[in-house]
């Protein structure tokens, strides 16, 4: 179906706006709109392309979220080889390089383009008539891998240049990952129990070579151009400095730290300046790159073997040192995570003295086989965060030198738990743990928990630091005089906060349980617990040992029923296994936690859940939602079902009562038809609930 003119014009306008904001955010580091506004533009374009598929052009910003998994990477032969650079490790090497260039040029002084040497992955980008068509890794210099699908997800790379250059045009540069994005990625990897990356370069390289572009799209890769390969009919400047300026005009990110310098004195001054600013850069660099600025002189100098004579990489010294682990201690974070840290004999690394380094978690300590008393290699990961890389020489390794995660929190003495699938051990002290108090209050007040609008981080800092609030129960005792004594809290803002605290009374039990911040208890688990126990009192008095036995008995009964072809009985607290039950038992078994929960229940008065399950229109029926519904989001449909006593699961089984299907439903609908589960559309769901549309 052809799109109406108005839709075509709107789609083109949206594409221009989105690419403009991508350029502002990822290239200029100067965003002009909020993330929510950007998301609205993208969703509108996705909707237009869904309604009119002909509008979905290959260079559309919607293609950046990743497509179908790739079977493999095909080979790409570079029109011009992607060569390496010769290295310099001392000032003498740079002096010799400048002398050779001057002798060849017959000049007393030569101008150079000086740029940072990114610690990333070299790639080439091919544009045809200004539109991106292919991207490849350097490979062996002559042949690389086609990673076009993954490069389309890198928002710093324009899908269309800002000027329509005729014919083929190849840009060369580096894919890299910022340090903050690297740290966030590794945190997600650890939380999921997956492999962590050693450094941002490895993370960038691994992310770019994912067979599934959707994985690459979640990895926050960046790009920086440093030159060109094949230029076709494009008329480009005749110096390196002017070329980088021209690439920036075309919408390609280039290094802001680039300089035009003169002679060997200018090269060495730039190197020292770059080394000094290195810790403050958002990305890793491992040196400086010097290029003869004039392209005619570059051609005159030519190449030797696999490197150009007109360029040089001046490397920084190694950022590693050897020292001794004096002790391994444990730090408790704001979320209750226990992180082991090495106390080191002070050592000078990368311009600073290092006396401690993170060890991440117990699994990492075992993997690297670290003991107290070992001599170890220390590196400043990403030039900022010190980490222990490996053992250089084992110490005496007595039994007492081996690290073991403590069974109790070193701050509050509460039991420590580690849930299945998690690499991190956590304190169960919750509100009673001073290390977690601020985070516990922020979690309690968040929108999906008790939804106390206005209770932000700065206000929580003041309330805790002035000892006005030790636990969320204290929030309900605050007065307007208390709040007005705080910074930036006038009468109106104080009254608004007190109104928001009062409005949080009577929230559903599931949200109350989620707000408690019990390790491992997210929103869905909290709803399961609320449906099972119905009241705060029953939740606090639960016999977890007896429940575990009953769950085991029911599992055996269901196994027998399945063999006989009978309908299975509903599971008890589905999704709550032994490790989570143990976490709940420890959290609720701590006297201080019970006292806080009882005081909190008396103040917040959460609504019981027992009546909703017993009398709801759906009476405990099991639902699966698939596809896109016309008027309801999945979260809204789930909330509607659960509010009327139903239960929503993620997969279709013989225990499923209804499948609610929208557009593009996928395999769940096929499975429902196969086993005879009743299928509803959105109207059918509303009819089941006895509601008018």
């Amino acid at each position: 179906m052809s799109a109406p003119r108005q839709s075509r014009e709107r789609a083109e306008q949206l594409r221009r706006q989105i690419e403009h904001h991508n350029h502002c955010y990822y290239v200029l580091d100067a965003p002009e709109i909020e993330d929510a506004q950007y998301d609205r533009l993208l969703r509108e374009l996705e909707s237009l392309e869904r309604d009119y598929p002909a509008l979905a052009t290959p260079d559309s910003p919607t293609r950046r979220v990743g497509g179908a998994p790739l079977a493999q990477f095909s080979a790409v032969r570079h029109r011009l080889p992607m060569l390496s650079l010769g290295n310099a490790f001392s000032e003498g090497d740079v002096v010799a390089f400048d002398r050779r260039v001057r002798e060849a040029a017959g000049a007393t002084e030569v101008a150079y383009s000086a740029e940072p040497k990114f610690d990333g992955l070299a790639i080439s980008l091919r544009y045809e008539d200004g539109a991106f068509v292919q991207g490849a890794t350097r490979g062996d210099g002559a042949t690389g891998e086609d990673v076009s699908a993954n490069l389309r997800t890198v928002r710093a790379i324009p899908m269309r240049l800002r000027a329509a250059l005729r014919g083929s045009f190849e840009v060369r540069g580096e894919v890299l990952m910022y340090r903050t994005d690297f740290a966030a990625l590794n945190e997600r990897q650890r939380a999921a129990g997956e492999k962590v990356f050693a450094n941002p370069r490895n993370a960038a390289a691994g992310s770019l070579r994912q067979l599934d572009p959707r994985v690459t799209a979640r990895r926050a890769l960046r790009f920086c151009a440093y030159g060109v390969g094949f230029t076709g009919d494009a008329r480009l400047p005749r110096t390196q400095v002017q070329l980088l300026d021209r690439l920036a005009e075309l919408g390609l990110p280039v290094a802001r730290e680039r300089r035009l310098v003169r002679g060997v004195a200018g090269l060495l001054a730039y190197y020292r300046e770059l080394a000094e600013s290195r810790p403050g850069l958002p990305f890793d660099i491992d040196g400086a790159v010097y290029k003869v600025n004039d392209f005619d002189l570059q051609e005159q100098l030519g190449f030797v073997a696999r490197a150009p004579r007109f360029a040089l990489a001046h490397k920084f010294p190694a950022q590693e040192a050897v020292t001794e682990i004096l002790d391994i201690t444990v730090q408790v974070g704001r979320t209750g995570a226990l992180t082991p840290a090495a106390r080191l004999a002070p050592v000078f690394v990368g311009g600073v003295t290092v006396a401690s380094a993170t060890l991440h978690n117990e699994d990492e300590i075992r993997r690297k086989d670290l003991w107290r008393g070992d001599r170890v290699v220390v590196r400043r990961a990403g030039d900022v965060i010190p980490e222990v890389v490996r053992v250089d020489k084992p110490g005496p390794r007595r039994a007492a030198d081996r690290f073991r995660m403590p069974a109790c929190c070193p701050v509050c003495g509460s039991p420590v738990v580690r849930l299945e699938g998690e690499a991190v051990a956590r304190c169960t002290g919750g509100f009673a743990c001073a290390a977690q108090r601020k985070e516990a209050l922020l979690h309690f007040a968040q929108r999906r928990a008790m939804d106390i609008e206005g209770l932000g981080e700065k206000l929580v800092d003041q309330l805790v630091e002035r000892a006005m609030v030790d636990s969320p129960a204290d929030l309900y005792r605050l007065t307007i005089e208390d709040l007005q004594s705080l910074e930036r809290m006038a009468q109106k803002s104080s009254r608004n906060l007190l109104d928001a605290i009062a409005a949080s009374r009577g929230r559903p039990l599931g949200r109350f349980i989620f707000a408690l911040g019990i390790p491992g208890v997210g929103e869905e688990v909290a709803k399961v617990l609320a449906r099972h126990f119905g009241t705060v009192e029953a939740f606090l008095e639960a016999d977890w040992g007896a429940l575990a036995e009953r769950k085991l008995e029911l599992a055996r009964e269901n196994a027998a029923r399945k063999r006989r072809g009978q309908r299975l009985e509903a599971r008890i607290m589905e999704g709550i296994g032994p490790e989570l039950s143990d976490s709940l038992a420890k959290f609720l078994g701590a006297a201080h936690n019970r006292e806080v929960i009882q005081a909190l229940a008396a103040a917040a008065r959460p609504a019981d859940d027992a009546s909703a399950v017993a009398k709801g229109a759906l009476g405990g029926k099991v639902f699966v939602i698939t596809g896109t519904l016309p008027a309801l989001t999945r979260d809204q449909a789930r909330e509607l079902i659960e509010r009327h006593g139903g239960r929503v699961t993620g997969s279709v089984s013989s225990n499923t009562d209804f499948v609610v299907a929208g557009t593009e439903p996928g395999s769940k609908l096929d499975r429902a038809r196969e086993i005879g589960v009743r299928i509803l559309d959105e109207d059918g769901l509303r009819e089941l609930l006895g509601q008018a549309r």
Side-chain angles (χ1 to χ4, degrees):
M1 177 171 53
S2 62
R5 181 177 61 83
Q6 187 176 4
S7 297
R8 291 197 305 271
E9 291 175 354
R10 179 56 179 162
E12 183 58 34
Q13 181 187 37
L14 286 167
R15 278 193 287 271
R16 287 196 303 270
Q17 287 180 328
I18 291 168
E19 285 298 352
H20 170 76
H21 292 302
N22 279 337
H23 183 75
C24 291
Y25 187 95
Y26 293 100
V27 179
L28 304 180
D29 287 332
E32 295 180 354
I33 60 174
E34 298 292 332
D35 289 350
Q37 293 173 275
Y38 176 89
D39 291 340
R40 281 197 293 273
L41 294 174
L42 193 60
R43 283 197 300 270
E44 184 181 350
L45 180 58
E46 287 172 341
S47 177
L48 280 172
E49 292 180 351
R50 188 166 53 248
D51 293 341
Y52 305 104
L55 294 178
T57 60
D59 61 350
S60 173
T62 60
R63 301 296 177 94
R64 293 187 183 274
V65 297
L70 308 172
Q72 60 184 14
F73 298 116
S74 58
V76 174
R77 183 113 185 137
H78 300 302
R79 291 194 184 185
L80 295 174
M82 295 184 70
L83 303 179
S84 303
L85 296 178
N87 291 324
F89 297 97
S90 68
E91 291 190 359
D93 294 336
V94 178
V95 170
F97 165 73
D98 175 66
R99 183 179 64 250
R100 290 192 298 270
V101 171
R102 286 188 291 106
E103 288 173 353
T108 56
E109 187 179 76
V110 172
Y112 297 93
S113 170
E115 306 155 32
K117 185 178 183 301
F118 297 105
D119 196 10
L121 185 74
I123 62 162
S124 68
L125 308 174
R126 183 162 64 87
Y127 290 84
E128 294 288 347
D129 295 330
F132 174 76
V133 294
Q134 188 180 63
T137 61
R138 178 166 61 187
D140 62 4
T143 304
E145 293 175 313
D146 188 338
V147 288
S148 306
N150 290 343
L151 287 171
R152 288 182 186 278
T153 72
V154 180
R155 296 179 188 267
I157 296 175
M159 292 296 96
R160 183 170 290 277
L161 299 177
R162 295 194 163 192
L165 302 181
R166 291 179 57 192
S168 294
F169 179 65
E170 183 189 329
V171 179
R172 293 181 173 178
E174 202 96 356
V175 165
L176 59 150
M177 185 176 287
Y178 279 17
R179 293 175 188 142
T180 52
D181 295 325
F182 168 69
L185 171 61
N186 265 355
E187 188 61 35
R188 293 196 300 271
Q189 294 289 101
R190 289 190 195 97
E194 297 178 8
K195 173 191 171 185
V196 297
F197 294 96
N199 53 56
R201 185 192 185 282
N202 287 356
S207 301
L208 191 60
R209 299 189 71 256
Q210 289 289 325
L211 291 178
D212 189 346
R214 290 169 295 189
V215 176
T216 307
R218 296 193 293 269
R219 295 285 178 84
L221 295 178
R222 311 275 180 149
F223 172 73
C224 196
Y226 54 64
V228 296
F230 183 78
T231 58
D233 297 331
R235 294 183 179 180
L236 296 173
R238 295 303 299 164
T239 71
Q240 174 69 12
V241 168
Q242 291 172 345
L243 173 65
L244 294 178
D245 291 342
R246 178 60 175 149
L247 292 178
E249 291 170 2
L250 292 172
L252 292 152
V254 294
R256 296 180 180 180
E257 298 77 16
R258 63 191 187 277
R259 298 279 189 281
L260 175 66
V261 301
R262 298 190 177 279
V264 70
L267 293 176
L268 296 178
Y270 176 81
Y271 177 82
R272 288 189 284 269
E273 177 189 340
L274 194 62
E276 194 172 315
S277 64
R278 184 184 184 191
L281 296 176
F283 44 76
D284 280 359
I285 59 173
D286 56 5
V289 173
Y290 310 137
K291 297 176 184 175
V292 170
N293 189 44
D294 185 81
F295 286 165
D296 291 336
L297 181 53
Q298 286 189 12
E299 291 176 11
Q300 179 184 333
L301 288 164
F303 300 84
V304 54
R306 294 173 58 84
R309 286 193 178 97
F310 56 79
L312 186 72
H314 190 180
K315 293 291 196 73
F316 290 136
Q319 302 285 295
E320 294 184 345
V322 176
T323 187
E324 181 184 350
I325 296 180
L326 302 177
D327 195 9
I328 299 177
T329 58
V330 170
Q331 300 166 344
V332 183
R334 295 196 311 163
T335 61
L338 272 66
T339 304
R343 187 164 64 82
L344 306 169
V347 62
F348 194 74
V349 185
V352 300
T353 300
V354 172
S356 64
T358 179
L359 299 178
H360 301 302
N361 55 58
E362 193 170 13
D363 289 349
E364 279 290 285
I365 293 175
R366 297 287 177 264
R367 186 178 68 80
K368 295 177 180 176
D369 193 26
L370 303 175
W371 295 55
R372 296 176 179 90
D374 286 352
R375 290 192 63 77
V376 293
V377 176
V378 178
R379 176 173 62 206
R380 292 182 66 206
D383 298 328
V384 177
I385 307 167
E387 69 170 352
V388 175
V389 181
R390 62 185 179 276
V391 174
D392 180 66
K393 181 180 179 182
R397 297 204 166 184
R398 299 174 292 266
D401 295 330
R402 183 177 173 84
F403 173 79
R404 290 178 177 80
M405 188 64 71
C408 297
C409 172
V411 175
C412 68
S414 298
V416 169
V417 298
R418 179 176 169 183
L419 301 177
E420 184 179 14
E422 287 196 2
V424 177
R426 298 185 187 278
C427 164
T428 59
F431 306 125
C433 184
Q436 301 178 64
R437 197 160 288 152
K438 292 179 183 178
E439 188 67 24
L441 285 165
L442 290 169
H443 175 79
F444 181 84
Q446 69 164 281
R447 183 174 61 84
R448 292 181 178 272
M450 299 301 280
D451 192 15
I452 303 177
E453 187 176 354
L455 190 61
E457 189 169 349
K458 291 182 179 179
L459 187 54
V460 165
D461 286 345
Q462 292 187 71
L463 290 170
V464 172
E465 287 162 8
R466 297 194 187 192
M468 296 170 68
V469 172
D470 287 332
S471 81
D474 295 331
L475 293 171
Y476 295 89
R477 291 192 284 270
L478 290 172
T479 66
I480 196 164
E481 290 76 20
D482 293 331
L483 294 177
Q484 285 184 281
S485 69
L486 303 175
E487 294 176 15
R488 304 184 68 180
M489 289 297 288
Q491 184 173 10
K492 184 177 179 181
S493 53
S494 299
R495 174 50 59 194
N496 288 342
L497 179 58
L498 288 179
D499 290 344
I501 293 171
S504 71
R505 290 189 171 97
R507 300 282 190 223
L509 179 61
R511 290 175 64 173
F512 177 83
I513 293 174
F514 172 58
L516 298 178
I518 303 170
V521 177
E523 289 180 73
E524 296 309 313
V525 169
K527 290 175 183 176
V528 170
L529 292 167
R531 282 194 297 266
H532 181 81
F533 293 107
T535 67
V536 174
E537 292 76 14
F539 178 55
L540 285 173
E541 298 307 318
D543 185 337
W544 296 97
L547 279 168
E549 290 179 12
R550 177 60 188 134
K551 283 170 69 73
L552 190 59
E553 289 173 8
L554 183 60
R556 295 194 190 103
E557 290 176 17
N558 276 335
R561 284 173 173 271
K562 189 173 184 179
R563 287 194 296 270
R564 295 194 295 267
Q566 297 175 335
R567 181 179 173 83
L568 306 183
E569 290 290 335
R571 297 179 185 177
I572 299 175
M573 295 190 299
E574 187 173 4
I576 299 179
E579 292 80 9
L580 187 49
S581 294
D582 181 58
S583 174
L584 284 158
K586 287 180 177 177
F587 187 93
L588 298 173
H592 50 259
N593 283 341
R594 296 176 67 84
E595 290 170 6
V596 169
I597 294 172
Q598 287 167 343
L600 196 48
R605 302 193 291 275
D608 294 347
D609 206 12
S611 59
V613 176
K615 301 176 184 177
L618 303 182
K621 299 292 185 183
V622 178
F623 287 73
V624 171
I625 304 170
T626 181
T628 303
L629 301 178
L632 295 172
T633 66
R634 287 202 180 198
D635 284 345
Q636 289 169 337
R638 175 188 291 271
E639 187 176 343
L640 193 63
I641 290 166
E642 290 175 346
R643 194 164 68 238
H644 289 79
R647 185 161 56 94
V648 178
T649 63
S651 58
V652 179
S653 69
S654 59
N655 217 33
T656 305
D657 294 290
F658 299 97
V659 167
V660 181
T663 57
E664 300 179 11
S667 61
K668 293 177 183 178
L669 183 60
D670 296 334
R671 173 63 176 158
R673 287 170 175 156
E674 181 184 323
I675 63 176
V677 174
R678 185 178 171 188
I679 299 166
L680 303 172
D681 58 12
E682 185 178 314
D683 287 336
L685 174 61
R686 293 181 185 277
E687 186 178 340
L688 188 67
L689 297 172
Q691 293 182 351
R693 181 169 177 78

